[in-house]
Amino acid sequence: MLDLAIVVAFILYGLGSGLRARGKASQSLDEYFLAGKTIKGWRAGFSMGATQFAADTPLLVTGLVATAGIFALWRLWIYGLAFLLMAFVFAVGWRRAGVLTDAELTRVRYSGQGVTPLRLLKAIYYGTVINCVVLAMVLVAAIRIAEVFLPWHQWLPAGLYEPVVSFVASIGLQLGESITGLEPEVMTANNLISILLILAFTAMYSITGGLRAVVQTDVVQFSLAMIGTALYAWFVLDAAGGLGGLTDRIVELYGSDQASKMLSFSPPANAGEALMPFLVIVGLQWFFQMNSDGTGYLAQRSMACPTDRDARIAGLVFAWLQIFLRSLFWMAIAVGLLVLFPFTSGEASGDGFTAAREALFVQGIEDLLPPGVRGLMLVGLLAALASTVDTHLNWGASYWSNDIYGGVIAPHVLKRKPRDRELVIVARLSNVLILVIAMIIMANLGSIQTAWFISLLFGAGMGSVLVLRWLWERINLYSELTAMAVSLITAPLLLYYLGTDPEREWIRLGIMALTTTTAAILVTFITPATDDATLKRFYRRVRPFGFWGHAASLNGVGPGVSVKALGSRLFAVAVTAISLFSLLVGVGRLLFPAPDTGPLLSWICIGVGVLLIPVWLRIAMGREFDTDPEDEPAEEPAIQSHRTT
């Protein structure tokens, strides 16, 4: 009963947030998707963290630690570099550009007849294809949570439940594989009811209140999720015998060599030929990915901030919450579960092992947590799920309303300017379409890890061009079109010929990154550059960092100003990254030491991380990055409405 009360209280809060924000959200797309640019930096950072917390991510972490050890988590931690680049380099550009979506940025950044087709293509690709794949991954995690905690076949009367089972059987639907031994029809019926109720709850407040309601609930959702995760980690470690002898117990269960691999933060000594592929993957995926410059909901949060400083703070808060705080809790749970639910080498090589280990994160909640704490953790997982779903609904709808309908259909097909309330209605209706597509994809996914590998592959072709468009004036619309086209052609071919085998992932990512980047750069040099008028306007509006010599000269600014500004911001990124990763490794090694390792290196890492905190904190909180004094001669014009075409 206590668990149920906690869940009901959370649901009422979420619905109340949507109703409170409904009035302002209905006024315009700026209010609906950017909350009128009133989101403070720390709140935006918490909202980013809530979205990235995602119900599927702790399951992914549990699977990675079991299959490849802690060192494999660098695949997730390396994204800290992208988050810090967004904080110091890209967030300010997104905010100053005065756009609602990445697709709309094409209108501000490029010139030529291909701008509108590129805007439409990106809106469909990001707002529907990529967005729905990510949503489907989250829903896969949701059905694993729901199967354990929401046994509708026990709760509902037969008159209500049996028709659902009959419907499922008649269409041959199967949502995942049962982890509790239920019959396929019963398992699917339970999961279908759970998913529809969760999506209905999330959609009600996100569709009603827009980004303002999303951020309001995200702050509470992330706080609840972290409190619940911390308590879960405590109970897992307590059941495993405490932190003190954790390493010894893992050695007893798996042997010294395997324990060293499981608990190592650095490459295991016996990594051998497997090390190079892993390093290639880690080195590529953070840069060659579809969100390398913050594209998507991270950019949306930056654009919703009132000042450049708030946008920078948002990125920093997000990076530390995401990479440092939550990683320590999840590592504790994943390592503790290795002791509580041991496995043999034979099981590790069997089919379905990864999915089974991912599901243990949910099973541990049911088995180890007392009432009250279980309810809090369940709310935390539901909150993580809701915060991801609401963000992807809101973000995906922004493409459909602002770019597809407001940017293409209304002006070019209907030959008229869309009204504000009309665009908001389109935004709300498009949420339903996104949910239906995501449900269809979800029904055909296996493990979260496999789906993640595939999504990384499709995004790998776009990353370099997305970053370069902010740093190099020569990138044009044909560069982006080429990268997207080559990605859509190359990814299916790589999956067909190389499959989804994790051992070949480094080859797939390497080929994708090399092929798409090379093609995009070649096309850049053989196609017309963006015209001077567009470059001049973009530079005056955004004042970008990097290689913008020609655009700077058009505005009467010295050619070295942008390069110098980029250098100072990259220094800030480097200092903050060293501090972040040093503290993560130092604290992690102290808590979960590998066999036969001493604490000296851990304390050195902690010392370096702590000493650098005042350095990057002074840079981040200072005022020198809030304005660009050298650019003052270039007066910034009034930003046009995002609804103009």
Side-chain angles (χ1 to χ4, degrees), residues 34-163:
L34 298 183
K37 297 186 178 181
T38 60
I39 306 299
K40 292 296 184 182
W42 72 270
R43 293 175 66 87
F46 265 71
S47 182
M48 293 176 184
T51 301
Q52 281 272 322
F53 193 98
D56 62 310
T57 321
L59 279 68
L60 174 64
V61 169
T62 304
L64 283 174
V65 171
T67 56
I70 288 177
F71 180 62
L73 297 183
W74 280 105
R75 295 203 54 174
L76 301 177
W77 298 336
I78 199 65
Y79 286 107
L81 293 176
F83 302 154
L84 293 176
L85 275 173
M86 186 197 68
F88 285 106
V89 179
F90 302 123
V92 62
W94 284 112
R95 209 194 70 78
R96 292 174 181 175
V99 297
L100 276 179
T101 65
D102 169 74
E104 189 184 2
L105 183 67
T106 60
R107 179 183 61 81
V108 178
R109 174 65 177 83
Y110 304 127
S111 62
Q113 294 182 348
V115 167
T116 298
L118 176 60
R119 181 179 182 180
L120 180 63
L121 181 60
K122 294 192 71 170
I124 295 173
Y125 184 61
Y126 282 109
T128 305
V129 178
I130 296 297
N131 191 37
C132 290
V133 169
V134 175
L135 261 179
M137 290 169 57
V138 176
L139 295 179
V140 169
I143 62 177
R144 292 179 184 167
I145 297 169
E147 183 178 344
V148 175
F149 293 105
L150 302 175
W152 297 107
H153 62 292
Q154 299 176 8
W155 295 349
L156 293 179
L160 292 177
Y161 187 76
E162 290 301 329

Side-chain angles (χ1 to χ4, degrees), residues 88-89 471 545-547 560-574 619 625:
F88 285 106
V89 179
L471 305 181
F545 317 120
F547 304 95
V561 169
S562 296
V563 176
K564 180 181 178 183
L566 177 62
S568 61
R569 284 157 177 80
L570 290 180
F571 173 76
V573 170
I619 295 173
F625 283 175

Side-chain angles (χ1 to χ4, degrees), residues 157-189:
L160 292 177
Y161 187 76
E162 290 301 329
V164 180
V165 176
S166 299
F167 170 75
V168 166
S170 65
I171 64 174
L173 178 65
Q174 182 169 338
L175 298 179
E177 299 289 338
S178 177
I179 61 176
T180 59
L182 294 176
E183 293 295 324
E185 293 83 3
V186 175
M187 177 269 299
T188 298

Side-chain angles (χ1 to χ4, degrees), residues 561-642:
V561 169
S562 296
V563 176
K564 180 181 178 183
L566 177 62
S568 61
R569 284 157 177 80
L570 290 180
F571 173 76
V573 170
V575 171
T576 313
I578 292 171
S579 177
L580 173 61
F581 292 133
S582 294
L583 281 171
L584 175 64
V585 172
V587 175
R589 281 173 53 94
L590 279 182
L591 294 176
F592 318 109
D596 303 320
T597 58
L600 178 60
L601 181 58
S602 300
W603 286 112
I604 291 174
C605 289
I606 292 174
V608 171
V610 170
L611 288 174
L612 289 178
I613 288 177
V615 179
W616 63 259
L617 197 58
R618 181 178 178 182
I619 295 173
M621 302 304 290
R623 298 290 180 180
E624 59 269 25
F625 283 175
D626 293 342
T627 58
D628 299 292
E630 303 93 333
D631 292 356
E632 288 304 322
E635 182 181 353
E636 184 177 356
I639 296 176
Q640 298 177 351
S641 168
H642 61 264

Side-chain angles (χ1 to χ4, degrees), residues 211-278:
L211 185 66
R212 189 176 274 103
V214 169
V215 173
Q216 286 176 358
T217 54
D218 278 353
V219 172
V220 174
Q221 287 167 349
F222 185 79
S223 301
L224 286 174
M226 292 308 297
I227 292 171
T229 304
L231 290 172
Y232 185 17
W234 173 273
F235 280 98
V236 167
L237 292 176
D238 182 64
L243 271 175
L246 195 62
T247 299
D248 293 337
R249 287 186 286 279
I250 292 178
V251 171
E252 292 174 4
L253 289 169
Y254 301 99
S256 181
D257 290 343
Q258 184 66 12
S260 296
K261 177 183 176 182
M262 288 176 167
L263 299 177
S264 177
F265 283 76
S266 57
N270 60 353
E273 296 179 356
L275 178 59
M276 182 55 68
F278 183 84

Side-chain angles (χ1 to χ4, degrees), residues 272-315:
E273 296 179 356
L275 178 59
M276 182 55 68
F278 183 84
L279 294 179
V280 169
I281 293 172
V282 170
L284 288 178
Q285 72 175 29
W286 73 274
F287 184 78
F288 292 92
Q289 47 125 353
M290 57 193 173
N291 304 117
S292 54
D293 66 338
T295 291
Y297 55 85
L298 301 181
Q300 184 188 40
R301 301 306 192 273
S302 301
M303 292 184 281
C305 290
T307 66
D308 293 350
R309 189 165 179 260
D310 279 298
R312 183 169 64 252
I313 291 172

